[in-house]
Amino acid sequence: MAEPPSPPPSPPRLIDVARAAGVSLATASRAMTGSSGVSAEVAAQVQAVATRVGYVPNSHARALAGGQASMVGLIVHDVGDPYFGEIARGVLRETDSRGYLALISQTERDPRAELARVRALRAHRVTSIVLAGSGYVEARTEHDLAAELRSFTAAGGRAAVIGRHHLQVDAVLPDNAGGGATLMRHLLELGHRRLGVLGGPANLTTVEDRLAGLRTAATAAGLDWRAVPVVHGDFTREGGAEATARLMRAHPGLTAVVALNDPMAVGALSWLLNGGHRVPEEISVAGFDDVPVARDVYPALTTIRLPMLAMGRQALELVLQPPAARPRRRRTRHELVVRASTAPPAS
């Protein structure tokens, strides 16, 4: 008489993962859910062990394995910034057309908040994450976030970023340096030689890249970059007005001001016009990004247009594709939009 077939082996349990990884059950649980209280390195180790032993923790993992994920996490620096609003619109249009739901959160440019948001999304079983906003000049600032994303993708999650250099996931990279060079050439061709820059937060790679573009074009035209004053401030209208006040008090003879984003440029316009300066007859003002308000302010703002809606759409397309052998890079173009806020300097 034939023996009855042996029962199938029991699937690995979380306690098996904890023992194999040499951690407590509580630590293994936190590592698998992306909760706080466990380092990124330990989380990555536990995730790797779970993958090796074939542990399927919950419906989240089953959704990853079956391609059934229906929720995307979108993390931005500031939901009130029109730049991120346009990117979010691009993401949301694409999620709507594909039947996905998006969860949006902001970090206010705090690296610790970025890490916390990624962990919170993992805890909510989000299987795809888009992280939009500048990276940081010091790569070590993103060390913990990079480790968390490695843990997330090792577990089957998908991540893409917009405007980040140091994170080894798929990325959409706006042409910040090229745009800066084009904007500087425009002002130089108008005849400006006494220029000042409103630089935004100095620790952001976006600021570094845009400044590099300005510097490259200035140097190529024979202008001493060391003579160009750069004042840093918040990437906001208020930050632009405050930075303009400091810039103009220190350098009252400037004929052009370049702001490294449009909200700062709007703040510059406000401060200059309220102070009795004529724009552009006395001083020109230029911005960057071409957010919707740039065409509605008076005078309408000359700026660099980035395809923000398309950037959001491209990032979502990347995050919903199967992973590639190497992180993919999608580089954008830029366009100079000349409006009424720039003109040749007064003779």
Side-chain angles (χ1 to χ4, degrees):
M1 183 176 179
E3 295 183 1
S6 301
S10 299
R13 301 168 299 165
L14 184 59
I15 187 63
D16 300 320
V17 174
R19 288 170 180 164
V23 299
S24 69
L25 181 60
T27 296
S29 176
R30 287 194 293 270
M32 294 304 297
T33 60
S35 303
S36 59
V38 57
S39 71
E41 289 79 5
V42 170
Q45 175 195 357
V46 173
Q47 295 279 2
V49 169
T51 299
R52 187 177 72 244
V53 302
Y55 172 65
V56 179
N58 48 43
S59 59
H60 168 55
R62 287 192 292 273
L64 287 173
Q68 300 170 350
S70 60
M71 190 173 294
V72 175
L74 173 61
I75 303 171
V76 301
H77 281 333
D78 181 0
V79 295
D81 187 324
Y83 174 84
F84 296 110
E86 290 296 288
I87 287 175
R89 281 211 304 148
V91 171
L92 293 175
R93 283 183 179 179
E94 198 68 15
T95 55
D96 288 346
S97 69
R98 294 171 179 256
Y100 285 74
L101 178 67
L103 291 178
I104 304 176
S105 57
Q106 71 173 11
T107 65
E108 297 184 351
R109 299 185 175 88
D110 182 348
R112 295 167 300 179
E114 289 180 337
L115 179 62
R117 301 297 180 271
V118 171
R119 287 178 168 172
L121 288 170
R122 295 186 67 182
H124 283 83
R125 309 296 186 258
V126 171
T127 56
S128 301
I129 297 175
V130 173
L131 180 61
S134 174
Y136 301 91
V137 173
E138 293 291 338
R140 63 176 177 268
T141 303
E142 299 175 289
H143 177 269
D144 289 343
L145 177 62
E148 188 70 27
L149 290 176
R150 285 195 299 271
S151 169
F152 177 59
T153 55
R158 295 286 295 116
V161 295
I162 299 174
R164 314 290 288 240
H165 296 308
H166 303 312
L167 299 177
Q168 294 304 304
V169 295
D170 291 345
V172 177
L173 301 175
D175 190 10
N176 289 317
T182 296
L183 194 57
M184 176 59 79
R185 284 193 293 268
H186 166 68
L187 293 169
L188 293 173
E189 288 167 2
L190 288 174
H192 293 281
R193 292 298 181 270
R194 290 177 291 163
L195 306 97
V197 180
L198 309 179
N203 66 328
L204 300 182
T205 55
T206 292
V207 172
E208 182 181 58
D209 292 345
R210 293 179 180 184
L211 284 174
L214 295 174
R215 181 174 62 249
T216 296
T219 302
L223 184 67
D224 183 2
W225 178 252
R226 294 170 297 180
V228 178
V230 179
V231 175
H232 293 282
D234 291 338
F235 257 161
T236 62
R237 180 185 182 280
E238 294 74 20
E242 191 274 333
T244 303
R246 288 188 283 126
L247 179 67
M248 295 302 296
R249 287 165 185 161
H251 305 275
L254 297 179
T255 64
V257 172
V258 180
L260 295 192
N261 81 344
D262 287 341
M264 290 192 85
V266 171
L269 280 174
S270 176
W271 188 90
L272 289 167
L273 293 173
N274 287 333
H277 298 275
R278 293 175 301 139
V279 179
E281 294 84 0
E282 179 185 343
I283 185 167
S284 289
V285 177
F288 209 113
D289 294 330
D290 196 30
V291 301
V293 71
R295 72 198 70 171
D296 297 325
V297 294
Y298 180 82
L301 187 63
T302 292
T303 186
I304 292 294
R305 176 179 295 163
L306 292 177
M308 293 167 288
L309 283 170
M311 287 157 54
R313 185 183 69 249
Q314 289 175 342
L316 188 70
E317 290 173 349
L318 286 171
V319 85
L320 296 182
Q321 293 176 9
R326 294 181 180 180
R328 290 169 284 227
R329 297 289 184 261
R330 299 287 186 268
R331 300 184 183 276
T332 75
R333 298 182 178 182
H334 72 274
E335 177 186 354
L336 173 67
V337 181
V338 179
R339 298 193 178 102
S341 68
T342 54
S347 56

